[in-house]
Amino acid sequence: DKGNHRHFMLKEIYEQPIVVAQTLKSYVRRLDDQVSLPTPDFDLSAIRRVTIVACGTSYYAGMVAKYWFEQFARVPVDIDVASEFRYRQPVMEDGGLALFISQSGETADTLAALRHARSEGQKIAVVVNVPTSTMAREADLLLPTHAGPEIGVASTKAFTCQLAVLAALAANLARAKGRLDPREEKEVVRHLSEAPAAINGALAYDEAIEAMAHLIAPARDVLYLGRGTDYPLALEGALKLKEISYIHAEGYAAGEMKHGPIALIDENVPVIVIAPSGPLFDKTVSNMQEVQARGGKVVLISDYDGIQAAGDGCMATITMPKVHPLIAPIVYAIPVQLLAYHVAVLKGTDVDQPRNLAKSVTVE
Ligand code: M6R
């Protein structure tokens, strides 16, 4: 049931404040300001390396997690898409945790990668939205998202719920490694708990984004740029747009533009820049200005401070609530999803059932 929404995708975008809060309830305790996990049957503090494997949007959630695990827990992370991981003979040493992320828990490549990692002696952690799925059954450490059934082929609420679980996992790992003191843990809990309200704040820009979609819909190609955890978000934005609007889109690390892709820039290629104010803001803005100097039309997604500092000269801006960098990827996922959605509606595509795609890819 779509409720009063035109598509399942839009309904699912709007469910995010509730389902992210629901998911966080299992992983953060406001009462004693602690992050918590279901107790693994192995010692988290002994994990020496994490290997993350997934496909599509779930893979991009994994990319964000790589930044978090390395930054907070100082644990080395390897990450790959499942279809590559399976066949490249990856080296997995003892004491490794292999982490699989999947909405459905049935994606054939991810499941095969899981079984391969197990045969190589890795502990298996699974972030999955369908608790009865095959991957859920095969996990040593099951970390469910509580997004509820996701019907739209384009993944939305599963992604933000995956990020919520992965942030909590990163904090748990950091604590187990002695790298998160109680004061820092309390801060993590506080920031994560702010996510649902911030998502609500982001949803308030739906109409503005709908109006802006008219600027993107005529384009043949669209680029997305971001740095740090906003880089995977740029990739996710491009995937979402391709998948449901059939417009060609690519995501790049903002700093990579000058190594090639900037040659694509002209007034016909809109560039979506994802840049919350924070430590990497100035760097991203200078990449944005390189694009503008070549006639590129920029849409800047930032917060009030960011837009004040760098919004002049942009084709359009989207103002997000000001949030802590930890939850920025969760909150900035919303405008990225809404933009793809409204462009697709303008293009008249079948938003919930885009051509050539299935909700769950159970063949290799
Ligand atoms: O069920 P999974 O999370 O394993 O699915 C992985 C991908 O097939 C999925 O995320 C796909 O990329 C989505 N359609 C993207 O919106």
Side-chain angles (χ1 to χ4, degrees):
D1 175 26
K2 292 187 275 236
N4 51 4
H5 293 290
R6 186 163 162 199
H7 295 100
F8 280 109
M9 182 181 176
L10 192 62
K11 170 176 177 261
E12 289 162 2
I13 289 174
Y14 270 85
E15 280 171 356
Q16 288 175 108
I18 289 170
V19 294
V20 167
Q22 221 161 266
T23 299
L24 281 170
K25 252 206 271 172
S26 310
Y27 297 92
V28 302
R29 292 198 306 252
R30 291 243 61 182
L31 221 60
D32 54 2
D33 290 316
Q34 291 204 1
V35 287
S36 63
L37 289 183
T39 316
D41 64 356
F42 54 89
D43 180 8
L44 258 192
S45 70
I47 295 299
R48 288 210 300 260
R49 186 189 178 82
V50 178
T51 303
I52 305 176
V53 182
C55 301
T57 290
S58 297
Y59 170 69
Y60 297 141
M63 274 182 80
V64 174
K66 173 183 164 78
Y67 286 85
W68 287 336
F69 292 168
E70 291 180 341
Q71 190 185 330
F72 300 133
R74 305 300 300 152
V75 174
V77 176
D78 182 25
I79 175 160
D80 212 342
V81 290
S83 54
E84 284 302 311
F85 178 81
R86 282 177 71 181
Y87 300 113
R88 73 171 158 86
Q89 296 176 277
V91 180
M92 284 171 275
E93 288 162 39
D94 288 350
L97 177 71
L99 170 62
F100 300 86
I101 307 166
S102 176
Q103 188 285 127
S104 62
E106 303 294 348
T107 302
D109 282 318
T110 310
L111 182 59
L114 182 159
R115 289 173 176 162
H116 178 61
R118 180 177 295 292
S119 75
E120 294 280 311
Q122 303 294 288
K123 294 293 177 194
I124 307 295
V126 171
V127 175
V128 75
N129 193 45
V130 180
T132 53
S133 62
T134 312
M135 282 183 226
R137 285 199 304 272
E138 298 196 12
D140 299 319
L141 173 60
L142 174 60
L143 304 171
T145 47
H146 301 291
E150 192 181 62
I151 309 294
V153 164
S155 186
T156 53
K157 61 178 181 168
F159 177 68
T160 45
C161 288
Q162 287 165 348
L163 290 177
V165 172
L166 292 165
L169 177 59
N172 268 277
L173 199 57
R175 186 179 59 198
K177 291 276 177 193
R179 293 195 172 269
L180 194 73
D181 65 35
R183 191 189 49 83
E184 292 164 325
E185 185 168 357
K186 185 175 177 177
E187 284 298 289
V188 168
V189 168
R190 186 166 68 84
H191 297 315
L192 286 176
S193 307
E194 282 164 0
I199 295 173
N200 243 325
L203 286 169
Y205 290 89
D206 189 9
E207 268 177 42
I209 294 169
E210 182 173 5
M212 219 193 63
H214 289 270
L215 299 171
I216 306 298
R220 207 186 58 176
D221 310 283
V222 178
L223 301 185
Y224 287 75
L225 305 184
R227 264 181 193 262
T229 52
D230 302 309
Y231 165 42
L233 215 50
L235 297 170
E236 166 63 1
L239 174 61
K240 218 90 297 175
L241 191 69
K242 285 187 261 220
E243 182 174 35
I244 60 171
S245 79
Y246 315 148
I247 294 175
H248 172 241
E250 297 300 333
Y252 288 105
E256 271 295 292
M257 280 303 280
K258 59 168 82 63
H259 301 287
I262 201 161
L264 295 169
I265 297 298
D266 65 22
E267 64 283 1
N268 299 316
V269 183
V271 181
I272 320 280
V273 177
I274 305 166
S277 61
L280 299 174
F281 179 76
D282 290 342
K283 296 266 177 220
T284 310
V285 165
S286 89
N287 303 130
M288 180 183 98
Q289 286 162 346
E290 287 155 11
V291 165
Q292 287 169 321
R294 283 149 189 92
K297 297 257 166 58
V298 169
V299 175
L300 175 61
I301 311 181
S302 186
D303 45 40
Y304 179 81
D305 292 344
I307 305 284
Q308 285 297 305
D312 285 354
C314 293
M315 168 170 73
T317 58
I318 304 175
T319 314
M320 288 290 100
K322 180 137 187 155
V323 294
H324 187 270
L326 176 64
I327 63 165
I330 302 179
V331 177
Y332 280 64
I334 307 313
V336 156
Q337 297 165 349
L338 284 171
L339 184 60
Y341 173 77
H342 289 299
V343 171
V345 168
L346 284 174
K347 301 279 276 189
T349 61
D350 189 347
V351 171
D352 285 332
Q353 288 283 321
R355 67 187 181 198
N356 310 339
L357 287 167
K359 179 65 185 160
S360 178
V361 184
T362 53
V363 292
E364 186 177 344

